[in-house]
Amino acid sequence: MGVVVAGAGAATLFAFACPALLERGDRLTVAVTHAACMLRTFGLQCGVGVAVVGVLAWLIGLRRLALLAAVVGAVWIGPEAWKWRPAGGAGAAGESRLTVLTVNALFGRCSVEAIDREALACDADLIVIQEYTPALEGFLRPVLARYPHRVEMARDDGFGQAVYSRMPFVGDARVYPSEGGGRWSSQPQITVDVRLDGGLVRITDVHLLSPVGLSVIAEQRREALGLARAVRASLSESGADGVRVERVLAGDFNATTDGHLLRPLLEAGMVDSWRQAERGRGGTWPADVPLLSLLGKIRLDNLLHSDGLVCVAAG
């Protein structure tokens, strides 16, 4: 039991001290830094596990070991508890609002009725969809006929996308990324511009690769860094009226804002919409495995916005 607590303490120090080093693609660096990222991603589960060991140690009389376990567990559980603080998002009265609904269609296995129900409940202006299949396209088009402005890239694999909008697009939609110094992903990452309060808001439907192997993890990191470069480039732009182009990134990042992968986006000027407007974890994954969900969902699906926008509600 002492070995478990000592190992947990060492893993905690490693998780918080290990630098991201996202630019380095050698296998050793990717493996080590990804391990630290996974520890940070599953911080709640780590904390609960150490706490359980601490309770057992206390019950059998190992009080010092129990106290050490409590300290290690608190390092993980403390930030999770802080997520339940009151949210601070607030918008000024009379300002225009833009509502974006992001949907991971689970490779077309989602409920069309549920998408329609959620769109109606939040009065969504735009719906961005990942894992959009040809079959889902056929079902959704008539159901969401009230969204006349669309760009779709249905695919038989997990990387199809679509954007449905009530608002007309300004200029042409881009199915593949083409800003920030070139294409940063070989998969569709649909980007559209809409007009809001006379300015432009650029919305990207994001689906980064899933970290299922060292080579794929390295490519996922290149995607995140490329997206961050694109964000920096666009936030330095101005529309025809001289107003800065604001950004919204929504979709399946296959990463949480607690880990390393999304740090370049936050450093580029993006804000975690959930943290600004809502409290709690906002877990989205796993969506269809009840046993794993009991251990605490994590938020792999995110919506980030530039700091010229304010998130007033999230769900």
Side-chain angles (χ1 to χ4, degrees):
M1 192 174 290
V3 173
V4 172
V5 175
T12 300
L13 290 174
F14 164 69
F16 286 95
C18 182
L21 301 177
L22 297 181
E23 299 84 0
R24 293 178 54 175
D26 61 280
R27 294 177 66 85
L28 178 60
T29 300
V30 171
V32 171
T33 55
H34 185 66
C37 183
M38 287 297 96
L39 285 169
R40 293 171 67 97
T41 297
F42 291 94
L44 175 63
Q45 290 79 3
C46 293
V48 170
V50 175
V52 169
V53 173
V55 170
L56 294 175
W58 184 272
L59 292 176
I60 63 176
L62 301 175
R63 302 301 169 85
R64 290 184 178 179
L65 187 61
L67 290 175
L68 178 59
V71 171
V72 175
V75 172
W76 292 109
I77 296 176
E80 295 294 332
W82 180 247
K83 293 176 182 179
W84 291 91
R85 71 193 186 283
E95 288 186 337
S96 297
R97 297 196 179 190
L98 177 71
T99 304
V100 179
L101 172 64
T102 176
V103 177
N104 185 318
L106 297 175
F107 199 32
R109 301 196 309 272
C110 65
S111 163
V112 172
E113 293 75 16
I115 296 175
D116 186 40
R117 186 168 59 248
E118 291 291 343
L120 288 169
C122 69
D123 194 25
D125 295 304
L126 291 99
I127 306 173
V128 300
I129 308 172
Q130 307 88 49
E131 303 195 15
Y132 187 74
T133 61
L136 181 61
E137 180 181 34
F139 287 123
L140 266 185
R141 277 189 168 187
V143 173
L144 298 179
R146 61 187 182 279
Y147 291 87
H149 308 284
R150 302 175 182 178
V151 53
E152 298 163 294
M153 176 56 78
R155 291 177 32 156
D156 289 319
D157 59 16
F159 288 94
Q161 285 195 342
V163 175
Y164 285 60
S165 177
R166 296 190 304 197
M167 308 168 70
F169 301 138
V170 178
D172 296 329
R174 284 84 77 197
V175 174
Y176 291 95
S178 58
E179 51 184 341
R183 182 177 290 189
W184 48 264
S185 174
S186 60
Q187 312 298 337
Q189 312 279 348
I190 297 174
T191 296
V192 299
D193 292 349
V194 298
R195 188 74 65 183
L196 183 70
D197 277 343
L200 283 181
V201 179
R202 182 163 298 160
I203 298 140
T204 298
D205 186 357
V206 177
H207 190 183
L208 302 184
L209 292 171
S210 180
V212 292
L214 291 182
S215 61
V216 180
I217 293 168
E219 181 61 30
Q220 182 198 39
R221 292 172 171 209
R222 285 191 287 269
E223 287 184 333
L225 291 170
L227 178 55
R229 286 193 298 270
V231 165
R232 286 192 180 94
S234 64
L235 291 181
S236 65
E237 292 180 22
S238 296
D241 51 6
V243 177
R244 187 178 81 159
V245 177
E246 301 295 345
R247 290 300 301 250
V248 172
L249 310 176
D252 180 7
F253 291 76
N254 275 308
T256 73
T257 54
D258 294 321
H260 291 153
L261 192 71
L262 301 190
R263 187 179 299 170
L265 292 169
L266 301 176
E267 292 173 349
M270 301 302 288
V271 178
D272 183 350
S273 301
W274 178 270
R275 292 278 180 89
Q276 186 172 81
E278 191 51 85
R279 63 172 68 190
R281 290 172 55 79
T284 65
W285 179 88
D288 52 359
V289 185
L291 181 59
L292 291 178
S293 296
L294 292 175
L295 300 176
K297 290 184 178 182
I298 61 176
R299 183 155 48 90
L300 294 182
D301 307 88
N302 295 279
L303 194 147
L304 309 178
H305 66 272
S306 53
D307 57 12
L309 303 172
V310 176
C311 183
V312 297

